[in-house]
Amino acid sequence: MREARMAAEVEQEAFVRGVLEDFYRDGNPPWDSGVTPPELVAVTEGPGALKPGRALELGCGTGTNAVYLARHGWQVVAVDLVDRAVRQAREKADAAGADVSVLCGDATRLDELGVPGPFDLFFDLSCYCGIPPHRRDAYAAGLTERAAPGARLLMFGYGPGAFDDAWSGVTADELGAGFPGWRLVDVTPGTNPVPTYWFTLRRGAAPA
């Protein structure tokens, strides 16, 4: 039974990697629009914007948002699983003269990448919602270990049922239970044809 479960988990991880690689090879990943979402702009430039510090982007794609943050004074580390996306992100950062460290690897295995902490801001544009369930606790633990007091996690995610599998998607209840030491402070529905949400979590429930 244990061996069958482990084989299924390996298969899930390989499936996710393959899907992502296919999207970037075809040049049309739907989550990588080349436009920084207004929700991140609001955190960076809007009323009550965060003071620039250290940011970690999980699933950075071709680097649009990592470059944006760097241009607004943040020290940025960005991680993506797909080699092709990482190469493009590094090229984009170099062309913009942006100081971004782009690492190729798994967002649920940050220790293996030597990702330093602490970070004041974590940004996730549909990375977590596509992670196989057996790796999600490791994702949460990796962020928690690297979170500065009062750190913020801004996450965009698809809701359950958005894709043709039984496990993709994320809910507010899952995040509330799956990130010990964090508090879910905002849930805003997205405007997509399928259920999507913007989630904001705070580490240590520090005062806003």
Side-chain angles (χ1 to χ4, degrees):
M1 179 67 74
R2 181 173 179 272
E3 290 182 356
R5 177 178 56 80
M6 292 178 62
E9 291 174 352
V10 170
E11 184 176 347
Q12 276 187 331
E13 292 185 49
F15 171 78
V16 170
R17 181 185 291 271
V19 168
L20 295 175
E21 289 175 345
D22 286 347
F23 271 117
Y24 280 104
R25 186 180 60 250
D26 296 341
N28 190 34
W31 58 86
D32 201 335
S33 67
V35 178
T36 295
E39 290 79 6
L40 181 58
V41 174
V43 167
T44 307
E45 301 182 62
L50 298 179
K51 180 181 178 181
R54 301 190 70 238
L56 174 61
E57 183 176 7
L58 296 311
C60 68
T62 62
T64 297
N65 301 307
V67 169
Y68 166 81
L69 286 168
R71 283 176 160 172
H72 286 80
W74 290 81
Q75 299 175 32
V76 184
V77 178
V79 176
D80 201 276
L81 188 63
V82 181
D83 290 346
R84 187 184 299 267
V86 167
R87 290 196 301 270
Q88 293 180 37
R90 289 171 177 166
E91 291 169 359
K92 187 175 292 185
D94 288 344
D99 185 11
V100 179
S101 175
V102 187
L103 305 177
C104 186
D106 188 334
T108 74
R109 295 177 168 91
L110 297 178
D111 287 344
E112 296 178 9
L113 299 178
V115 175
F119 292 98
D120 307 289
L121 173 65
F122 300 91
F123 182 62
D124 178 331
L125 188 67
S126 72
C127 176
Y128 179 90
C129 64
I131 293 172
H134 67 277
R135 294 301 308 168
R136 295 189 179 188
D137 285 348
Y139 174 106
L143 268 59
T144 300
E145 181 180 341
R146 292 163 175 80
R152 186 174 306 192
L153 166 58
L154 178 62
M155 177 190 293
F156 172 83
Y158 290 88
F163 301 103
D164 295 330
D165 61 62
W167 52 268
S168 293
V170 59
T171 66
D173 287 344
E174 177 187 352
L175 294 179
F179 283 75
W182 297 71
R183 184 163 65 97
L184 183 63
V185 297
D186 185 71
V187 181
T188 300
T191 58
N192 306 71
V194 296
T196 57
Y197 304 92
W198 283 95
F199 303 100
T200 302
L201 292 88
R202 292 291 299 274
R203 172 65 172 151

